[in-house]
Amino acid sequence: MDVSHILNSLNDAQRQAVTADSGNLLVLAGAGSGKTRVLVHRIAWLIQMEGIAPAGILAVTFTNKSASEMRGRIETLLGHPIGGMWVGTFHGLAHRLLRAHWQEAGLSEKFQILDSDDQLRLIKRLLQTLELDEGKWPAKQCQWFINQQKDEGLRSTHLEHYGDDYNRTMLTLYQAYEQACDRTGMVDFGELLLRAHELWLKNPGLLDYYQHRFTEILVDEFQDTNAIQYAWLRVLAGKRGHITVVGDDDQSIYGWRGARIENIQQFTQDFAPATLIKLEQNYRSTSTILKAANKLISNNAGRLGKELWTDGTEGEPISVYGAFNEQDEARFIVDQIEQWVRKGRRRDDCVILYRSNAQSRELEEAMLRVGMPYRIYGGFRFYERLEIRNAMAYLRLVANRDDDAAFERVINLPVRGIGNATLENLRTIAREQRVSVWQAAQRAVAHGMLGARAAQNVGGFMNLINQLEEYSAEHELHLVMDYIIKQSGLIQHHEKEGGEKANSRLENLEELVNAAKAYTMEANGNNGEPTNAERLAGFIDKAALDAGDAQADAHEDAVQMMTLHSAKGLEFPLVFIAGVEEGLFPHKMSGDSLEGLEEERRLCYVGITRAMEKLYLCHAESRRLHGEENFSRPSRFIREIPAELRQEVRMKGQVSRATSWQGGIAAQAMGAPDSNNGLRLGQRVRHPSFGEGVVLSCEGNGNNARIQINFDAVGGKWLVAAYARLEAL
Ligand code: ATP
Ligand code: MG
């Protein structure tokens, strides 16, 4: 059989990995060395040369998008479709298993996915029920606690409080949370994985079936698996399965969510005998970019140690742009992209990466101003939009009346004269009788437990939902969606809001009808002819799981935007990293501990190594984030890149705060410091008694000029420049 097309475009080490004897294999290698490529080719090889049926293969990818890309590439290599193969994320695969085996998993048939927003709401309600003060027990922190336990595979029954007050409270909350989820048929993201693991442990027959079925397991981005994912793989592989994992310890960036780098180290023991193959040639980046990445990451201790080289061209230096503020930064980036496009290049080839989702708004606005199409991945996803969540809540209630989160979300949306007191009433009944709020409402109405008006309004709402369900039994999903939006009064509700916002919300609702239509077609294609109810349930899950990318049309050539975290595994000719500042990147939340700082550095390594041809690092002297103006220094990560690899850039005609300060008022006030150590806004200084701080602003001239400084220890102070005895740092 001619397999040259599978092996042709591989180097020796890659070929060795692709053709390695069926067994356990670890490919450990740096960014851009072809790990994902090896996985794709190995799957094609297994099917074509080892005669493995596609249905015998399970492949785990990092995002849904990479799953469909992987499938596409394998099909291209083989020249035919590979229907039965399972490819997906850990969450997606777990979900698929649980849907198929809900009974064995101890779930209700109609279980639904609780996304993190709903989860937070539920926790807030539970805190109230338990009479815990949210000031003392912040809901987010509680959410964090619960998720962390689940990522470690721990249920409340596994935990002990050891008499500690904090632990005791968290444990009580965790128990209440588990009960609430069970009662309402809700499954959060962590629960998907936990249940899927328990599914193996509790059902040996089922496990045996899947162990026989999936004889080849392949995992991309293995460095970011957490404890429960690792355990799930281990059980599935058992003694029979062969497992291939590829990863890079330097790109482990989900430690904060329980990912464990040690899994890589442990692999060769747990899955012995395992072959270890290292790839050392980078095919992605210019040598300048690669050198910068290598140098940066060498500042981390305890690495597994890999070499990475390229025979690619040197390429351009890395451009560092010091912006005046975040608007200037955004303008600069848009400007560079416009120049790129003028040279005949594609917008698709450009990505803007940022540390925090909140940074995207300014960038979006800058692009909107010049009419540049863009697409945001992750972040504010389509299905996370308020109006979409509202409409979906109706659909969820149609599918499952016991979905308390959905009930609470829309019972009085649009306004139906059902006040908080009535709702509180219903909650109490639900709590006392251990039923869902819907059932509580049914009982309350039937037994006259509500006032006449409240009973009428609640009854009206319930009739509406019942009526929607009747309609849904007879009609196609997108018609149901359309019907819901109209009958529920959501359209009028949003119309009343008025303005641009309302328009965009209404458009999104229309888009939801389209999405439902597209889903129906997809579902019909995949699984024969699902029933209306199955389609409806499937669509609800998709909405909860999917990262439905909105913004630019799918086919439009658009600039890509995403957080550094979601850029893993991707590559782009032109990369901008925005906000490379101390406090933002490394993030102040993580930068305090050595561990946290090293994870931030790995994240920066991931960012840099996305770039193929050209990389820009941008930082701003001042930035408004979460409503507060911050002044900061360029990130240490910039300094960690050797100076000869980078180049400072200025925009033409730009008046920077730095320049005007040095050249004008300030120069006089400071007794004309030379331009190298003159003070600038945002600069760090040291004062003999107040210690270190940041220059915030300057007023006046000459000897009377006053400077405002925010000192780390004592806060903001105005000082007379002439006497301040400030030392520039
Ligand atoms: P990351 O760590 O970022 O996930 P990776 O190790 O998975 O990177 P790939 O994405 O598989 O790397 O490959 C990086 C780029 O190099 C891709 O464009 C790929 O097509 C190309 N490439 C990999 N190996 C070869 C090769 N032998 N010949 C030509 N191009 C290659
Ligand atoms: Mg990869």
Short mmCIF file of all heavy atoms in Angstrom, two decimals, residues 300-335:
data_model
loop_
_atom_site.label_atom_id
_atom_site.label_comp_id
_atom_site.label_asym_id
_atom_site.label_seq_id
_atom_site.Cartn_x
_atom_site.Cartn_y
_atom_site.Cartn_z
N ASN A 300 12.28 30.09 33.68
CA ASN A 300 11.52 29.20 34.57
C ASN A 300 12.41 28.08 35.07
O ASN A 300 13.22 27.54 34.33
CB ASN A 300 10.33 28.60 33.82
CG ASN A 300 9.10 29.50 33.89
OD1 ASN A 300 9.18 30.62 34.39
ND2 ASN A 300 7.98 29.01 33.42
N ALA A 301 12.20 27.71 36.33
CA ALA A 301 12.96 26.60 36.89
C ALA A 301 12.19 25.30 36.69
O ALA A 301 11.02 25.32 36.32
CB ALA A 301 13.20 26.85 38.38
N GLY A 302 12.83 24.20 36.92
CA GLY A 302 12.15 22.90 36.93
C GLY A 302 11.48 22.50 35.64
O GLY A 302 10.40 21.92 35.65
N ARG A 303 12.10 22.82 34.52
CA ARG A 303 11.51 22.40 33.25
C ARG A 303 12.02 21.01 32.90
O ARG A 303 13.06 20.58 33.37
CB ARG A 303 11.88 23.39 32.15
CG ARG A 303 11.49 24.81 32.49
CD ARG A 303 12.13 25.80 31.54
NE ARG A 303 11.84 25.49 30.16
CZ ARG A 303 12.72 25.62 29.18
NH1 ARG A 303 13.95 26.03 29.41
NH2 ARG A 303 12.38 25.31 27.94
N LEU A 304 11.29 20.34 32.03
CA LEU A 304 11.74 19.01 31.63
C LEU A 304 12.92 19.13 30.68
O LEU A 304 13.70 18.21 30.52
CB LEU A 304 10.59 18.24 30.98
CG LEU A 304 9.44 17.92 31.93
CD1 LEU A 304 8.33 17.17 31.20
CD2 LEU A 304 9.91 17.11 33.12
N GLY A 305 13.05 20.29 30.05
CA GLY A 305 14.23 20.55 29.24
C GLY A 305 14.11 20.03 27.83
O GLY A 305 14.05 18.83 27.60
N LYS A 306 13.99 20.95 26.89
CA LYS A 306 13.90 20.55 25.49
C LYS A 306 14.67 21.57 24.67
O LYS A 306 14.78 22.72 25.05
CB LYS A 306 12.43 20.55 25.03
CG LYS A 306 11.54 19.68 25.88
CD LYS A 306 10.11 19.76 25.43
CE LYS A 306 9.53 21.15 25.48
NZ LYS A 306 9.39 21.74 26.79
N GLU A 307 15.19 21.10 23.56
CA GLU A 307 15.85 22.04 22.66
C GLU A 307 14.89 22.32 21.51
O GLU A 307 14.11 21.47 21.12
CB GLU A 307 17.12 21.42 22.09
CG GLU A 307 18.20 21.19 23.12
CD GLU A 307 18.65 22.50 23.76
OE1 GLU A 307 18.77 23.50 23.02
OE2 GLU A 307 18.88 22.51 24.98
N LEU A 308 14.95 23.51 21.00
CA LEU A 308 14.10 23.83 19.87
C LEU A 308 14.91 24.69 18.92
O LEU A 308 15.50 25.69 19.32
CB LEU A 308 12.88 24.62 20.39
CG LEU A 308 11.56 24.48 19.64
CD1 LEU A 308 11.21 23.03 19.40
CD2 LEU A 308 10.46 25.17 20.41
N TRP A 309 15.01 24.26 17.69
CA TRP A 309 15.76 25.06 16.71
C TRP A 309 14.95 25.16 15.44
O TRP A 309 13.96 24.47 15.25
CB TRP A 309 17.12 24.41 16.42
CG TRP A 309 17.00 23.02 15.86
CD1 TRP A 309 16.87 21.87 16.56
CD2 TRP A 309 16.96 22.65 14.48
NE1 TRP A 309 16.76 20.79 15.72
CE2 TRP A 309 16.81 21.24 14.43
CE3 TRP A 309 17.07 23.36 13.28
CZ2 TRP A 309 16.74 20.53 13.23
CZ3 TRP A 309 17.00 22.65 12.08
CH2 TRP A 309 16.84 21.25 12.05
N THR A 310 15.38 26.07 14.58
CA THR A 310 14.68 26.21 13.29
C THR A 310 15.71 26.50 12.21
O THR A 310 16.75 27.10 12.50
CB THR A 310 13.65 27.35 13.31
OG1 THR A 310 13.15 27.54 11.99
CG2 THR A 310 14.26 28.66 13.79
N ASP A 311 15.44 26.05 11.01
CA ASP A 311 16.31 26.51 9.93
C ASP A 311 15.58 27.57 9.11
O ASP A 311 15.93 27.85 7.98
CB ASP A 311 16.85 25.34 9.09
CG ASP A 311 15.75 24.59 8.37
OD1 ASP A 311 14.59 25.05 8.44
OD2 ASP A 311 16.04 23.56 7.73
N GLY A 312 14.57 28.14 9.70
CA GLY A 312 13.82 29.21 9.04
C GLY A 312 14.64 30.49 8.97
O GLY A 312 15.75 30.58 9.50
N THR A 313 14.09 31.49 8.34
CA THR A 313 14.82 32.75 8.20
C THR A 313 14.85 33.51 9.51
O THR A 313 14.11 33.21 10.44
CB THR A 313 14.11 33.66 7.18
OG1 THR A 313 12.77 33.84 7.62
CG2 THR A 313 14.13 33.05 5.80
N GLU A 314 15.73 34.50 9.57
CA GLU A 314 15.86 35.29 10.78
C GLU A 314 14.59 36.11 11.02
O GLU A 314 14.12 36.26 12.13
CB GLU A 314 17.08 36.20 10.65
CG GLU A 314 17.36 36.98 11.91
CD GLU A 314 18.57 37.89 11.74
OE1 GLU A 314 19.23 37.82 10.68
OE2 GLU A 314 18.82 38.66 12.67
N GLY A 315 14.06 36.68 9.95
CA GLY A 315 12.83 37.45 10.07
C GLY A 315 13.06 38.83 10.68
O GLY A 315 14.20 39.22 10.95
N GLU A 316 11.97 39.53 10.90
CA GLU A 316 12.08 40.89 11.44
C GLU A 316 12.24 40.85 12.95
O GLU A 316 11.83 39.90 13.60
CB GLU A 316 10.79 41.66 11.14
CG GLU A 316 10.63 42.05 9.70
CD GLU A 316 9.33 42.82 9.50
OE1 GLU A 316 9.02 43.69 10.35
OE2 GLU A 316 8.63 42.54 8.51
N PRO A 317 12.81 41.94 13.51
CA PRO A 317 12.87 42.00 14.97
C PRO A 317 11.46 42.08 15.56
O PRO A 317 10.50 42.40 14.88
CB PRO A 317 13.63 43.30 15.26
CG PRO A 317 13.82 43.99 13.98
CD PRO A 317 13.41 43.10 12.86
N ILE A 318 11.38 41.78 16.84
CA ILE A 318 10.10 41.87 17.54
C ILE A 318 9.85 43.34 17.87
O ILE A 318 10.70 44.00 18.46
CB ILE A 318 10.16 41.03 18.82
CG1 ILE A 318 10.26 39.57 18.42
CG2 ILE A 318 8.95 41.28 19.71
CD1 ILE A 318 10.70 38.66 19.52
N SER A 319 8.71 43.86 17.46
CA SER A 319 8.44 45.27 17.70
C SER A 319 7.77 45.47 19.04
O SER A 319 6.82 44.77 19.38
CB SER A 319 7.54 45.84 16.60
OG SER A 319 8.23 45.79 15.37
N VAL A 320 8.29 46.43 19.80
CA VAL A 320 7.70 46.75 21.09
C VAL A 320 7.13 48.15 21.00
O VAL A 320 7.84 49.10 20.67
CB VAL A 320 8.75 46.69 22.22
CG1 VAL A 320 8.14 47.09 23.55
CG2 VAL A 320 9.36 45.29 22.30
N TYR A 321 5.85 48.27 21.25
CA TYR A 321 5.22 49.59 21.17
C TYR A 321 4.76 50.05 22.54
O TYR A 321 3.94 49.39 23.20
CB TYR A 321 4.03 49.55 20.22
CG TYR A 321 3.34 50.89 20.09
CD1 TYR A 321 4.01 51.97 19.51
CD2 TYR A 321 2.05 51.09 20.57
CE1 TYR A 321 3.40 53.20 19.40
CE2 TYR A 321 1.43 52.33 20.46
CZ TYR A 321 2.12 53.38 19.87
OH TYR A 321 1.52 54.62 19.77
N GLY A 322 5.31 51.18 22.99
CA GLY A 322 4.89 51.76 24.27
C GLY A 322 3.82 52.79 23.99
O GLY A 322 4.10 53.87 23.50
N ALA A 323 2.58 52.45 24.29
CA ALA A 323 1.48 53.36 23.98
C ALA A 323 1.23 54.32 25.13
O ALA A 323 1.59 54.06 26.28
CB ALA A 323 0.22 52.57 23.68
N PHE A 324 0.60 55.43 24.77
CA PHE A 324 0.22 56.45 25.72
C PHE A 324 -0.86 55.88 26.66
O PHE A 324 -0.77 55.96 27.88
CB PHE A 324 -0.31 57.60 24.87
CG PHE A 324 -0.80 58.78 25.61
CD1 PHE A 324 0.06 59.56 26.36
CD2 PHE A 324 -2.13 59.16 25.50
CE1 PHE A 324 -0.41 60.69 27.01
CE2 PHE A 324 -2.60 60.29 26.14
CZ PHE A 324 -1.73 61.05 26.90
N ASN A 325 -1.87 55.30 26.08
CA ASN A 325 -2.93 54.66 26.87
C ASN A 325 -3.55 53.54 26.02
O ASN A 325 -3.06 53.24 24.94
CB ASN A 325 -4.00 55.68 27.29
CG ASN A 325 -4.56 56.43 26.10
OD1 ASN A 325 -4.48 55.94 24.96
ND2 ASN A 325 -5.11 57.60 26.33
N GLU A 326 -4.62 52.96 26.51
CA GLU A 326 -5.16 51.79 25.80
C GLU A 326 -5.78 52.16 24.46
O GLU A 326 -5.76 51.35 23.52
CB GLU A 326 -6.13 51.00 26.69
CG GLU A 326 -7.51 51.59 26.89
CD GLU A 326 -7.56 52.63 28.00
OE1 GLU A 326 -6.50 53.20 28.35
OE2 GLU A 326 -8.66 52.90 28.50
N GLN A 327 -6.29 53.40 24.34
CA GLN A 327 -6.84 53.81 23.03
C GLN A 327 -5.73 53.88 22.00
O GLN A 327 -5.87 53.46 20.86
CB GLN A 327 -7.52 55.18 23.09
CG GLN A 327 -8.91 55.15 23.67
CD GLN A 327 -8.94 55.71 25.09
OE1 GLN A 327 -7.88 55.78 25.72
NE2 GLN A 327 -10.10 56.07 25.58
N ASP A 328 -4.63 54.47 22.45
CA ASP A 328 -3.48 54.60 21.56
C ASP A 328 -2.98 53.22 21.14
O ASP A 328 -2.66 52.97 19.97
CB ASP A 328 -2.39 55.39 22.31
CG ASP A 328 -1.15 55.60 21.48
OD1 ASP A 328 -1.28 55.60 20.24
OD2 ASP A 328 -0.06 55.74 22.05
N GLU A 329 -2.95 52.32 22.09
CA GLU A 329 -2.52 50.95 21.80
C GLU A 329 -3.41 50.33 20.71
O GLU A 329 -2.93 49.76 19.73
CB GLU A 329 -2.59 50.10 23.07
CG GLU A 329 -2.24 48.65 22.87
CD GLU A 329 -2.44 47.83 24.16
OE1 GLU A 329 -3.59 47.72 24.64
OE2 GLU A 329 -1.44 47.30 24.68
N ALA A 330 -4.73 50.49 20.90
CA ALA A 330 -5.67 49.90 19.95
C ALA A 330 -5.51 50.52 18.57
O ALA A 330 -5.50 49.84 17.55
CB ALA A 330 -7.10 50.08 20.46
N ARG A 331 -5.34 51.85 18.56
CA ARG A 331 -5.17 52.55 17.30
C ARG A 331 -3.93 52.06 16.57
O ARG A 331 -3.93 51.82 15.37
CB ARG A 331 -5.05 54.05 17.56
CG ARG A 331 -6.03 54.88 16.77
CD ARG A 331 -5.88 56.37 17.02
NE ARG A 331 -4.99 56.75 18.09
CZ ARG A 331 -5.39 57.33 19.23
NH1 ARG A 331 -6.65 57.57 19.44
NH2 ARG A 331 -4.51 57.68 20.15
N PHE A 332 -2.88 51.92 17.33
CA PHE A 332 -1.62 51.46 16.76
C PHE A 332 -1.79 50.10 16.10
O PHE A 332 -1.37 49.86 14.96
CB PHE A 332 -0.54 51.38 17.84
CG PHE A 332 0.73 50.71 17.39
CD1 PHE A 332 1.64 51.41 16.60
CD2 PHE A 332 1.00 49.39 17.72
CE1 PHE A 332 2.81 50.79 16.16
CE2 PHE A 332 2.16 48.77 17.28
CZ PHE A 332 3.06 49.48 16.50
N ILE A 333 -2.44 49.21 16.82
CA ILE A 333 -2.60 47.84 16.30
C ILE A 333 -3.43 47.85 15.01
O ILE A 333 -3.05 47.23 14.00
CB ILE A 333 -3.26 46.94 17.37
CG1 ILE A 333 -2.28 46.75 18.54
CG2 ILE A 333 -3.66 45.59 16.78
CD1 ILE A 333 -2.84 45.97 19.71
N VAL A 334 -4.53 48.61 15.05
CA VAL A 334 -5.39 48.68 13.87
C VAL A 334 -4.61 49.25 12.69
O VAL A 334 -4.70 48.76 11.56
CB VAL A 334 -6.65 49.52 14.17
CG1 VAL A 334 -7.42 49.81 12.89
CG2 VAL A 334 -7.54 48.80 15.17
N ASP A 335 -3.80 50.26 12.99
CA ASP A 335 -2.96 50.87 11.97
C ASP A 335 -2.03 49.86 11.31
O ASP A 335 -1.88 49.82 10.08
CB ASP A 335 -2.09 51.92 12.67
CG ASP A 335 -2.08 53.20 11.91
OD1 ASP A 335 -3.17 53.78 11.73
OD2 ASP A 335 -0.96 53.61 11.49
#
